[in-house]
Amino acid sequence: MKFERNLGVIDRVLRAGISLAMVYFGFFGNYLITDHIAGLILGVMGVGSLIIAIIGYCPLYGLIGFSTYTPRANAPR
Amino acid sequence: MKLKYQLLVNFIAVVLMALLVFGYNAYEMASDSVDDAVQTTLANAGQLSVALMASGPQQDVAGAVRAVLAANNLAGSQTLALIDGDGRLTGPAPSSGSLAGQDWPLAEILARQQVTGSLTRGGRQYAWSITPLPHTNHRLLLVVRPDNSVRGGLARLASRLSVMGLIVVWVAVWVALIMTTMVSRRLDGQTLALQHQATHDSLTGLPNRALLNTRLAQAINSADTSGRSVSLVMMDLDRFKEINDTLGHHVGDSLLQAVGERLQKALWGSDTVARLGGDEFALLLPLADSSHTAQVIGKVLLALGEPFAIQGMNLDVDTSLGIAVYPEDGKNAVELISHADVAMYQAKHRGERYIRYDAGQDPHSLARLTLMGDLRHATDRGEISLYYQPKIDVRSQQVIGVEALLRWRHPQHGMVPPDSFIAQAEQTGIIKPLTYWILNEAIRQCAEWNTGGSSLSVSVNLSARVVQDVQLPGQVARLLERHDVRADQLELEITETAIMNDPSRAMQVLGELDAMGVRLSIDDFGTGYTSLAQLKRLPVDEVKIDRSFVLNMLRDANDAMIVRSIIDLAHNMNRIVVAEGVENKKILDALADLQCDVAQGYFYSRPLPAAEFHQWYENLFRPGQASVPESRPGSELSV
């Protein structure tokens, strides 16, 4: 599967923030998610989201051909 | 896209609603089970305490109880008390820690007589368990007032539900998007197919007229910017209708398909072949220069020259191609198409394989149409006049008559040669009023000369359309009467082809004219398609040999033979022969030898306006001596 960038900057920042929160509340902080298994699942999903945010490609976006990425370095010929 | 989002939103809404309903039910279930969990915990705690107490007074029972409670999310105040054999509270159990508050409903708990249970007093929940102590009839009472037992157990449930909800939503989005992508892909496929259907011909798969127009407009645009030309070629298959009618539509369709395939193969990628319907095709060559166009046409003719093998038959196909190039042959797409069409029809009628549009030949060009408009008014404005060329009897060298020829002095164009407007006048029908004008003027002139003393006959040329006019004899009669001219002074010259268009009608008209006494003559004899049988029946008095034979008769033995044959033929049928194109004395002598009756040509005079002619006739012409007022090099003018 080719990794074509389709996440814009804001998109990636939001995703990273949310995935970090997910990882934290899933694995570490016990007060929001008190069930262990639920915490595990949440943590794993958070990690996955984080990976997606890092590589800049969301397979869901790729499926529907949606992109929030606007290449700025496109000089007219 | 809109459809996709709609589906997605709907899907998620449904999922959330399901989540809500399911969550509420789960909550209800959970509430019940939480109580059971509490009871079990307390029972465990109680048993643990008893075990500890039995194993020694130093054990931290209270601590153990707290630990068990905490492990099960059952934090809160607790108290351990002993119940004696009579069912009365005796005080805190050993090592139980602090005594609970006095307002705990301990009496009520005792009154309930339940081993475990829970009750709510004053807004707080109290849960207890009673465990028997071994070797005594005392029992251990453990009462717990949990801080947030409900919340604790349900917090776990809530965590599970929310995470599950997250997963469900995640899956739902995936499924929704996959489904909508599938649906929209199918829709896109259908749209594409529809588009293709709208822009392409269904039989051959070639672009249709609409697509051709679009691409033509594009090509013209880019030609404007790049400065190159666009070539448009219109073609159709000769006699295709016959093939369709005799061999059937299936064969015709297969043939069209095969033609389409070959055309496509003959063309480059940037060029377009289109089928406009029926057996008409068009080739669009954008960015074409003349060599490329020629190449393509060559390839096309080569490709279509090979016979087609259709359903076991070998069919030969002929085509006519009409070429129009932008910007020379048209200012816009519409003009280009129509001019290419005109060129194609010209190619068809002339039997050529391909013809490039020539504005000078286009009968519908603006220039020609305006010319016709001008012609209409030319008679009113006196721009039209008649010139006269004498016809001389060969033996007596006397002028027996004149041929009246049309001359048009156009205000802008000057003298317009009749060749360039007679044909179109015939097509548009202007020839009729024009001819009547000529007849009137010629007869009038004849009358004028009559009063001057000379007695000359006047010949007027009639075109095919006029010859078919059944009112012609009546009109002629009126004109003769009006100017008081004898019928036999008027001669009407008609070409062979004019008669052959509709021989029976022509016969009727000519018969009436002949009956009136008007003389008739066949003009340009030898160049048309006369049937000798018809000729014998026609009431013509005179046959005029076409000038092409006369001019060459001294150089070409064949032409001389033809001239002789026509003279003999005409004489055998009792007609008079007139030779047109007598340029010099030698020809005249040769004709005299062949017994030709009348001569007409430059040797005597070129066509002159009425006044000049009369001068020539009166002053310069004497029997036996002929002269030309002005020597004019070159060949004769016709008409």
Side-chain angles (χ1 to χ4, degrees), chain B residues 97-289:
Chain B
S98 56
L99 183 65
Q102 255 64 1
D103 47 353
W104 284 40
L106 297 173
E108 230 182 302
I109 290 173
L110 287 173
R112 289 271 184 108
Q113 306 257 349
Q114 281 173 284
V115 171
T116 64
S118 70
L119 58 84
T120 311
R121 277 291 169 271
R124 300 304 298 271
Q125 196 181 17
Y126 299 90
W128 72 94
S129 83
I130 300 173
T131 320
L133 287 164
H135 310 310
T136 80
N137 55 358
H138 279 47
R139 288 169 295 167
L140 181 68
L141 168 69
L142 167 62
V143 184
V144 171
R145 190 183 73 177
D147 291 333
N148 49 359
S149 71
V150 176
R151 226 189 298 165
L154 288 181
R156 289 168 41 216
L157 181 70
S159 331
R160 286 219 182 137
L161 280 183
S162 22
V163 171
M164 234 173 45
L166 205 63
I167 298 176
V168 170
V169 167
W170 193 76
V171 170
V173 170
W174 271 100
V175 171
L177 283 175
I178 291 175
M179 272 180 14
T180 57
T181 310
M182 274 170 42
V183 168
S184 65
R185 280 218 190 112
R186 206 179 308 156
L187 278 177
D188 280 342
Q190 282 177 351
T191 311
L192 232 67
L194 273 174
Q195 271 182 349
H196 191 267
Q197 232 182 342
T199 52
H200 289 77
D201 168 61
S202 54
L203 178 66
T204 55
L206 296 174
N208 63 7
R209 194 182 285 269
L211 187 54
L212 178 74
N213 283 335
T214 310
R215 289 196 187 169
L216 181 59
Q218 282 173 350
I220 288 181
N221 267 339
S222 67
D224 280 338
T225 47
S226 68
R228 302 184 75 170
S229 316
V230 178
S231 291
L232 182 67
V233 180
M234 293 287 225
M235 58 175 281
D236 76 353
L237 309 176
D238 298 342
R239 295 175 287 112
F240 179 74
K241 193 174 178 310
E242 284 174 32
I243 294 180
N244 234 10
D245 291 340
T246 51
L247 299 176
H249 289 277
H250 295 295
V251 173
D253 286 351
S254 301
L255 181 62
L256 287 172
Q257 283 172 330
V259 168
E261 278 172 36
R262 285 201 195 175
L263 285 174
Q264 273 181 317
K265 282 203 208 119
L267 255 53
W268 292 122
S270 63
D271 301 331
T272 305
V273 187
R275 177 180 174 214
L276 304 179
D279 64 338
E280 271 189 60
F281 293 84
L283 310 173
L284 173 64
L285 316 173
L287 309 174
D289 55 12

Side-chain angles (χ1 to χ4, degrees), chain B residues 3 32 58 142 173 295 406 465 487 581 608:
Chain B
L3 182 63
D32 296 334
Q58 264 64 37
L142 167 62
V173 170
Q295 251 187 358
L406 191 61
R465 209 183 258 255
L608 298 168

Side-chain angles (χ1 to χ4, degrees), chain A residues 22 32-35 37-39 41-42 45 59-61 63-66, chain B residues 1 4-5 155-156 159-160 162-163 166-167 170 173-174 177-178 181 185:
Chain A
M22 281 163 79
L32 198 56
I33 303 291
T34 45
D35 181 50
I37 300 180
I41 296 175
L42 190 65
M45 286 173 70
L60 208 59
Y61 280 10
L63 185 70
I64 61 174
F66 187 66
Chain B
M1 276 295 237
K4 252 190 259 189
Y5 287 149
R156 289 168 41 216
S159 331
R160 286 219 182 137
S162 22
V163 171
L166 205 63
I167 298 176
W170 193 76
V173 170
W174 271 100
L177 283 175
I178 291 175
T181 310
R185 280 218 190 112

Side-chain angles (χ1 to χ4, degrees), chain B residues 307-341:
Chain B
F308 288 82
I310 308 282
Q311 299 190 4
M313 294 176 281
N314 270 340
L315 299 172
D316 266 312
V317 164
D318 289 319
T319 63
S320 313
L321 296 160
I323 309 161
V325 178
Y326 175 86
E328 297 94 16
D329 300 331
K331 290 196 294 292
N332 53 46
V334 172
E335 266 187 30
L336 212 62
I337 292 179
S338 102
H339 290 173
D341 237 353

Side-chain angles (χ1 to χ4, degrees), chain B residues 443 475-485:
Chain B
I443 294 174
Q475 287 280 53
V476 168
R478 265 189 289 278
L479 287 172
L480 289 171
E481 200 182 347
R482 184 196 295 177
H483 296 286
D484 194 20
V485 171

